[in-house]
Amino acid sequence: MSLLADATIRASIVLLIGLLLRAALRRRSSALRHAVLAAAIVAAPFVGFLGRLLPAVTLPAADAAPMATAAIAPGRAHAVATRADSATAAVGLDTRSVPASGAGRPLWPAVAVAAVAIWGMGAVFASTILLGAAIRLRRVAAQGVEVDDPRWRRALEAASHDAGVARPVRLLVTPDAALLATWGWLRPRILIPAGALEWSDERIQTVLAHEIAHVRRGDWMLQSFAEGLRALLWWNPAAWIACRALRDDCELACDDAVLRSGVGATAYAEHLLKIAHGARRPTWSAAVVMPMARRSTLERRIVAMLNPDLDRRAPTRLALMGTAAALLLLLLPVAVLRGAQSGRQPLEGVIYDTTGGVLPGVTVTLDAETAKVQTTTDPSGRFRFDGVGPGQHALHVAQPGFRALRQPIQLQKDADWSLAVTLQVGELKETVTVSQRRPASITPLADGSAGPKPVRVGGNIRAPRKTHNVNPTYPTRMVEAGLEGQISVEAVIGADGRVVRARALTVKAHPELAQAAVDAVQQWRFEPTLLNGAPVDVVMTVTVNFSLE
């Protein structure tokens, strides 16, 4: 599972936990419910990454059936490709893109890319709307004028003092008749419509008590964070529900703060109704501001403020610490638990050649810790081993004409159980024996000579038919000297069947023997070697034995 998907799933679980805790605290104050839900929303995007730092706890899983062999049904996908000369032999596989052609083309990477693209477009769209609203609000606020009305200034100072807000709060009047809201965190601003300058002292005090409560609680910052998370999790209903619940709880919590300040519930409800009635147009979205009188929540708020039995107390520090501890205990398992990727599951894959074509009938052997099983690829080049457990294994692949592959594989993540293997073309081998009758007397050479060198043997392949042969000639001086030798020649047969390059690999034999072998091999001609109908260059190892009878 990718890091992004893992973090998304864990964030969704945390949001659900926060919503469940909020529901369990329905008889407690709105401020406490808001604090719990806000903590869950803030923790949601970080829980997945926190789990990477903490020790993982793996959940047990039931093992699948014992290891067996079977053919993969058509249409199954594979994930990664390997090759025999992998530079990452430490992990057993070298990941690269799988050829797009062929019956074994992977399906899940395309689905994953499409899913990420859809998610990305939705996230960009939602973020663009959020950013556009913020830019529009900034423009409106820039047109605002600082309120210098003595009544408003005195009421603002009194509300800030009573709420314990020490930082300065700007009071701006804007031309928007529907905008009555708090905006900003480090430099908070209370935006009021132009008609508000004529309000009564009682309404001014009530409005400022509500808005200063938002400033003291830091509601704008929390709500902005929640809206940003919702933009990323736009597809998740839990994110939408959590954002709406957070907005509702913060308004109810601020209403409770106003009522605790001494404002009567009936008078407060009347002020809210008149303010909402004065807003002819729909109010601004709570995604960028904290509007005081949103019509969508007005009825619920008035019912709540007129209910004398509700808990309106501000949560104590002890209550907040206890709730935070309980939330932490619930979130830690979400962070550290890992899905059971340790159970047995099918190990499957596709065998390709270097042109991207699939190879049927290839022998594939899996050397597991407790057993060795073998299967062959089906007509689509696919193989499958059922019930393979995690750990270190070895994969053996053999096919005439290709280099034999033996690779260690480490099975840990789900993707490790899906493979694609590319076989490399092997080497040709031919042995030529050149014999002469041993002379009655031996004439030593002045320069001396060395003995033969062991032959380097490459992979075997069915040799292409030779169309023109030239036998090596035993040099006369070597015969007279009684020298024998075994010469290994590496020859590259081009796509046209000609020997484009030949060189002696033996360094201890006499140079005349080596040159005689190379001269003969360079004159050979072959039919082109075909791989999937296309001529390819191949390497041939020729062993020439010079012997005296």
Side-chain angles (χ1 to χ4, degrees):
M1 182 184 298
S2 67
L3 181 61
L4 177 61
D6 182 77
T8 301
I9 293 175
R10 293 179 192 275
S12 301
I13 295 175
V14 172
L15 291 178
L16 290 175
I17 291 176
L19 290 172
L20 291 175
L21 280 178
R22 174 181 178 269
L25 297 172
R26 62 185 179 276
R27 297 187 181 277
R28 301 298 298 273
S29 67
S30 299
L32 182 60
R33 295 198 303 270
H34 180 270
V36 170
L37 188 54
I41 290 175
V42 172
F46 302 108
V47 166
F49 300 100
L50 178 63
R52 302 286 172 175
L53 304 177
L54 298 177
V57 177
T58 303
L59 293 174
D63 284 347
M67 188 172 3
T69 61
I72 295 180
R76 296 297 297 271
H78 56 275
V80 297
T82 64
R83 55 185 180 188
D85 59 347
S86 171
T88 57
V91 297
L93 299 176
D94 179 23
T95 304
R96 65 176 195 175
S97 59
V98 179
S101 61
R105 186 168 68 180
L107 298 178
W108 77 260
V111 175
V113 170
V116 171
I118 294 173
W119 167 80
M121 288 188 293
V124 169
F125 180 75
S127 300
T128 301
I129 293 178
L130 196 62
L131 181 61
I135 293 174
R136 178 182 167 222
L137 178 64
R138 179 177 289 275
R139 290 177 179 174
V140 172
Q143 299 172 1
V145 179
E146 197 85 26
V147 176
D148 56 3
D149 189 314
R151 295 186 305 146
W152 280 90
R153 303 305 306 178
R154 287 194 300 267
L156 178 62
E157 292 175 3
S160 299
H161 180 268
D162 294 342
V165 176
R167 60 183 184 273
V169 179
R170 297 184 64 190
L171 188 60
L172 302 176
V173 59
T174 68
D176 194 325
L179 186 57
L180 173 59
T182 298
W183 178 48
W185 180 46
L186 295 177
R187 295 183 297 174
R189 282 152 282 189
I190 298 175
L191 308 177
I192 63 175
L197 296 178
E198 305 299 328
W199 287 350
S200 65
D201 291 346
E202 183 181 4
R203 184 178 298 179
I204 292 174
Q205 294 168 4
T206 302
V207 168
L208 291 181
H210 181 94
E211 300 303 328
I212 287 296
H214 279 307
V215 174
R216 180 182 63 82
R217 293 161 42 83
D219 287 335
W220 180 84
M221 189 64 184
L222 290 172
Q223 194 65 45
S224 297
F225 186 90
E227 294 294 337
L229 181 62
R230 181 176 63 86
L232 295 177
L233 300 179
W234 57 269
W235 51 269
N236 192 339
W240 290 80
I241 296 173
C243 277
R244 183 179 180 86
L246 190 72
R247 285 196 300 266
D248 294 345
D249 286 345
C250 83
E251 292 299 332
L252 291 173
C254 290
D255 291 342
D256 291 342
V258 174
L259 296 176
R260 288 197 306 268
S261 69
V263 177
T266 303
Y268 187 22
E270 291 178 355
H271 288 310
L272 280 181
L273 286 173
K274 291 180 180 179
I275 293 172
H277 180 72
R280 301 294 182 182
R281 296 182 290 109
T283 56
W284 282 66
S285 169
V288 291
V289 291
M290 301 301 299
M292 179 176 178
R294 286 185 297 124
R295 294 183 178 182
S296 60
T297 61
L298 200 57
E299 180 179 355
R300 182 187 174 193
R301 290 171 60 189
I302 291 176
V303 171
M305 68 179 61
L306 294 177
N307 186 352
D309 298 329
L310 292 183
D311 183 4
R312 306 189 190 281
R313 295 173 296 175
T316 63
R317 180 172 299 180
L318 182 61
L320 290 175
M321 292 177 60
T323 306
L327 182 62
L328 182 62
L329 290 177
L330 292 173
L331 295 185
L332 276 179
V334 180
V336 301
L337 288 180
R338 294 290 179 269
Q341 298 177 345
S342 58
R344 294 181 178 274
Q345 52 185 305
L347 175 66
E348 53 194 25
V350 182
I351 306 296
Y352 295 96
D353 59 29
T354 54
T355 67
V358 296
L359 296 176
V362 177
T363 301
V364 183
T365 304
L366 179 66
D367 190 357
E369 295 179 351
T370 59
K372 179 181 290 187
V373 290
Q374 188 178 89
T375 186
T376 56
T377 56
D378 65 10
S380 298
R382 303 179 182 184
F383 66 89
R384 172 170 172 153
F385 297 99
D386 286 327
V388 182
Q392 184 78 25
H393 307 286
L395 191 70
H396 306 259
V397 183
Q399 174 73 354
F402 295 88
R403 295 179 185 175
L405 170 69
R406 186 185 189 281
Q407 279 287 340
I409 55 175
Q410 183 70 30
L411 302 181
Q412 291 180 337
K413 301 178 181 179
D414 287 339
D416 296 339
W417 271 263
S418 187
L419 307 173
V421 179
T422 300
L423 294 183
Q424 305 294 321
V425 177
E427 294 181 351
L428 303 177
K429 184 179 70 174
E430 183 165 336
T431 301
V432 178
T433 300
V434 182
S435 300
Q436 282 283 2
R437 185 175 301 278
R438 188 181 298 274
S441 61
I442 303 298
T443 305
L445 294 178
D447 56 354
S449 62
K453 179 184 177 182
V455 180
R456 179 179 66 84
V457 179
N460 294 327
I461 190 171
R462 182 176 60 85
R465 190 172 67 87
K466 188 187 296 182
T467 60
H468 179 70
N469 180 65
V470 175
N471 289 324
T473 301
Y474 211 131
T476 303
R477 284 203 329 137
M478 301 296 100
V479 175
E480 294 173 351
L483 291 182
E484 300 177 322
Q486 187 180 73
I487 308 298
S488 293
V489 178
E490 182 183 77
V492 178
I493 303 175
D496 59 355
R498 295 176 178 271
V499 177
V500 297
R501 185 174 66 254
R503 64 187 182 94
L505 303 179
T506 304
V507 296
K508 293 184 178 181
H510 195 281
E512 288 191 25
L513 294 177
Q515 189 60 46
V518 170
D519 289 343
V521 171
Q522 284 180 332
Q523 301 177 61
W524 291 356
R525 299 291 182 269
F526 298 85
E527 290 182 345
T529 302
L530 301 180
L531 178 60
N532 294 333
V536 294
D537 294 350
V538 292
V539 178
M540 169 181 279
T541 301
V542 181
T543 302
V544 181
N545 294 314
F546 291 93
S547 63
L548 297 175
E549 299 176 351

